[in-house]
Amino acid sequence: MKKILLIGAEAMPFAATGGLGDVLGSLPTSLCEAGGDEVDVRVVLPLYGAISATWREQMTLVVEYEVCLSWRRQYCGVYRLYKDGVTYYFIDNEYYFNRDTLYGCFDDGERFAFFCKAAIDMLGVIGFYPDIIHAHDWQAALSLIYLDRKYRQIEGYESIKTIFTIHNIEYQGKYDFWILGDVFELSDADRSIVEYDGCINLMKGAIVCANRVSTVSPRYAEEIRSAEYAHGLHPILEENSYKLCGILNGIDYEYYNPEKDTAIKKNYTWQSLSSKYENKKALQEELGLPIRSDVPMLSIISRLASHKGLDLISEIVYNVMREQDVQLVILGKGESRYETFFVGLQEAFPNKVRALITYDRELSKRIYAASDIFLMPSKSEPCGLSQMIASRYGAIPVTRETGGLYDSIKPYWEDKGTIHGNGFTFANYRSEELEDRTNAAIELWRSEEKRNKLIVRIMQTDFSWKASALQYLETYASL
Ligand code: GLC
């Protein structure tokens, strides 16, 4: 039996802020389903204050020990919970994790150094030595660095193979040099592993130490070897390209399922599309928009960050709203300039636009179910899950051909009645291209026959974890 340990900073349904949480929420179960009796999948997470009592009641305290981090001696409790075939371990230390937010604290470096050290220590304490450690993003990077630099001589740790997954190369875990010994407990001999470009860079260290490096789509795996996408790390990825691969994420097909979703007004499948329109009516009612079935509803559900392509949207959206009979719903929060922009847009078009400056998973599902067209023109997108969720709920995606968007959404065209592709896409990061494709999607939507044919095709596209979980298992096996 292959023993696999995933280490990461967030996972649904326990605590999540973004796509990483979705992936660590659904990948472990999918690995179990794909691997059957051949795999033992376990996950290590911090025990955040935000994790609800309902989950805590299901946890058992397994061990308590002291974690050393330079001169610090910190309490660590390990709680265990079984769910859908997966064993979850939660690292407890209230000083580090019982806070209002998951990240964004002044001492994140120390918090996640503690988390990583505690996770690697735990293996010896509980006597579980995995075949594979699969660490995710910079918050888990030190687990692989510690393993390589401090634990390899210890019995049980010698032959563990490692894989590091980059979910977004923009966030690398960069620190001043002083942190090396005082917090990270790394010596001058370790310095060359984590030093990069005038600072300590944890993602770089993990790339160097890992046996394999993966990212969340094949296209992004190519892109991050170039300066345009790598936020400075391209030379490191180029050097390590022999261990780099891209595996496209899937989405949780149980959680995102318009046929059974209890968060939406009316359930539907590609065979009952008329029921989808009930959801549009319900959302129009909820948001106080004119109740009309003949007007396409566009939506944007996104963190309001610039790499999501919001500057392109802001360049075209006044035109589109003026010229087209459409409605637009925006859900998300982030940079204040975009929040202000969308609130202003709603004021300019009170009968057409709703800007919901918040983060709300249930509401997002009602919007996916109601939408006809989903805009996601990202400047860069490691994988992107929203375009897959939108597709699952039958909204036509309009995307830019980058990263996982390129791998998941192919341009629509029709030839002698046969449909190709599953959305509207454009290559260059230019507002004219976005505007052109958005208008094309609106035009197609206005033909009921064409629209239905395309939506059926979109809803039938497989974005489940099945194929990708198998690819991960193959990657583990190759190690
Ligand atoms: C990050 C990326 C996103 C990806 C997600 C899960 O949030 O920005 O593109 O889908 O991680 O891998």
Side-chain angles (χ1 to χ4, degrees):
M1 181 185 271
K2 202 151 252 105
K3 291 174 280 179
I4 300 153
L5 183 74
L6 289 88
I7 304 180
E10 56 177 83
M12 282 274 285
F14 308 109
T17 64
L20 170 66
D22 272 284
V23 170
L24 281 183
S26 46
L27 173 62
T29 328
S30 310
L31 291 172
C32 285
E33 279 163 15
D37 293 341
E38 298 298 302
V39 294
D40 172 358
V41 181
R42 308 190 188 190
V43 183
V44 192
L45 298 163
L47 185 63
Y48 295 110
I51 297 177
S52 73
T54 323
W55 292 118
R56 285 169 189 261
E57 280 157 20
Q58 299 173 44
M59 296 178 190
T60 323
L61 178 64
V62 192
V63 279
E64 294 171 295
Y65 49 93
E66 199 172 65
V67 173
C68 304
L69 207 52
S70 189
W71 48 269
R72 295 167 193 76
R73 302 283 174 276
Q74 290 286 5
Y75 165 85
C76 169
V78 174
Y79 285 81
R80 185 184 56 208
L81 180 153
Y82 297 114
K83 186 178 163 295
D84 304 325
V86 179
T87 305
Y88 292 87
Y89 296 110
F90 294 88
I91 301 292
D92 176 36
N93 176 301
E94 295 209 348
Y95 165 67
Y96 286 131
F97 301 126
N98 192 10
R99 301 192 187 176
D100 293 341
T101 57
L102 269 50
Y103 335 104
C105 305
F106 74 95
D107 57 348
D108 277 359
E110 181 180 329
R111 295 169 73 220
F112 289 100
F114 166 79
F115 170 64
C116 289
K117 192 95 189 296
I120 298 298
D121 277 346
M122 181 191 85
L123 308 181
V125 178
I126 64 172
F128 171 73
Y129 297 103
D131 298 294
I132 304 283
I133 291 183
H134 185 173
H136 297 260
D137 270 354
W138 77 264
Q139 295 94 339
L142 273 167
S143 64
L144 305 189
I145 299 166
Y146 288 148
L147 175 68
D148 254 23
R149 306 299 295 177
K150 294 173 179 292
Y151 290 74
R152 286 296 190 192
Q153 280 80 0
I154 306 172
E155 201 185 330
Y157 288 93
E158 310 97 325
S159 56
I160 300 173
K161 299 288 185 227
T162 59
I163 161 165
F164 180 65
T165 294
I166 299 169
H167 291 262
N168 194 334
I169 203 160
E170 196 173 341
Y171 309 105
Q172 300 174 0
K174 289 188 189 176
Y175 293 95
D176 276 345
F177 287 115
W178 67 264
I179 208 169
L180 189 71
D182 187 58
V183 176
F184 291 164
E185 201 193 80
L186 293 170
S187 69
D188 280 342
D190 304 319
R191 184 171 159 147
S192 65
I193 304 290
V194 285
E195 177 171 0
Y196 186 65
D197 212 6
C199 61
I200 300 296
N201 186 317
L202 297 180
M203 187 172 268
K204 182 253 177 175
I207 293 169
V208 172
C209 291
N211 298 116
R212 266 303 177 101
V213 176
S214 79
T215 184
V216 287
S217 69
R219 180 72 162 204
Y220 195 61
E222 286 170 30
E223 288 173 346
I224 56 177
R225 290 168 64 177
S226 72
E228 192 186 343
Y229 288 95
H231 293 268
L233 277 180
H234 49 290
I236 300 298
L237 286 154
E238 194 52 48
E239 248 166 60
N240 291 277
S241 59
Y242 68 97
K243 48 179 163 174
L244 181 64
C245 68
I247 300 176
L248 192 69
N249 288 329
I251 55 169
D252 185 334
Y253 258 37
E254 294 287 310
Y255 182 72
Y256 295 112
N257 182 359
E259 193 177 355
K260 300 205 177 119
D261 195 339
T262 52
I264 64 175
K265 172 85 178 175
K266 181 121 201 236
N267 293 118
Y268 60 98
T269 66
W270 59 270
Q271 286 154 312
S272 55
L273 281 180
S274 55
S275 299
K276 175 173 167 66
Y277 301 124
E278 294 295 314
N279 292 292
K280 178 153 107 186
K281 204 196 279 170
L283 189 72
Q284 288 169 332
E285 217 159 18
E286 181 182 339
L287 301 180
L289 284 167
I291 297 175
R292 289 176 55 190
S293 61
D294 64 328
V295 55
M297 183 183 279
L298 279 57
S299 65
I300 298 164
I301 300 176
S302 173
R303 222 163 3 103
L304 302 183
S306 68
H307 78 262
K308 294 289 182 183
L310 298 168
D311 41 350
L312 288 195
I313 299 224
S314 41
E315 279 168 39
I316 70 154
V317 74
Y318 272 83
N319 269 353
V320 174
M321 298 321 292
R322 255 191 313 264
E323 287 165 13
Q324 296 270 15
D325 187 14
V326 295
Q327 296 179 345
L328 171 66
V329 177
I330 301 116
L331 175 68
K333 53 182 183 175
E335 292 174 32
S336 60
R337 57 183 166 142
Y338 296 125
E339 294 185 354
T340 315
F341 175 84
F342 285 121
V343 170
L345 185 73
Q346 170 174 327
E347 278 161 16
F349 300 98
N351 286 324
K352 289 180 150 184
V353 176
R354 285 297 173 270
L356 310 164
I357 307 300
T358 174
Y359 171 76
D360 180 333
R361 275 185 187 263
E362 300 281 299
L363 175 57
S364 78
K365 290 169 132 200
R366 296 203 291 283
I367 300 174
Y368 284 119
S371 307
D372 299 302
I373 294 169
F374 184 76
L375 305 181
M376 194 167 176
S378 305
K379 189 170 205 172
S380 68
E381 196 59 74
C383 174
L385 302 172
S386 310
Q387 80 281 15
M388 301 184 188
I389 302 167
S391 302
R392 179 96 165 126
Y393 285 81
I396 303 167
V398 178
T399 56
R400 188 172 95 81
E401 293 156 13
T402 183
L405 293 175
Y406 171 85
D407 290 317
S408 57
I409 308 298
K410 296 294 173 192
Y412 159 85
W413 55 284
E414 208 181 321
D415 175 40
K416 298 186 196 105
T418 307
I419 291 196
H420 302 267
N422 58 339
F424 288 79
T425 74
F426 61 99
N428 302 303
Y429 194 69
R430 293 181 46 214
S431 55
E432 306 87 80
E433 295 192 18
L434 171 62
E435 186 167 3
D436 177 70
R437 291 298 82 200
T438 304
N439 287 333
I442 294 169
E443 194 189 316
L444 173 124
W445 189 89
R446 297 201 196 280
S447 148
E448 189 172 344
E449 192 202 329
K450 285 190 176 175
R451 169 216 308 174
N452 285 344
K453 261 176 62 193
L454 179 59
I455 294 176
V456 166
R457 188 175 157 85
I458 287 173
M459 291 183 75
Q460 288 177 330
T461 309
D462 185 5
F463 290 125
S464 74
W465 268 107
K466 254 188 221 137
S468 304
L470 283 173
Q471 281 183 53
Y472 274 113
L473 291 179
E474 279 163 19
T475 308
Y476 299 154
S478 74
L479 291 172

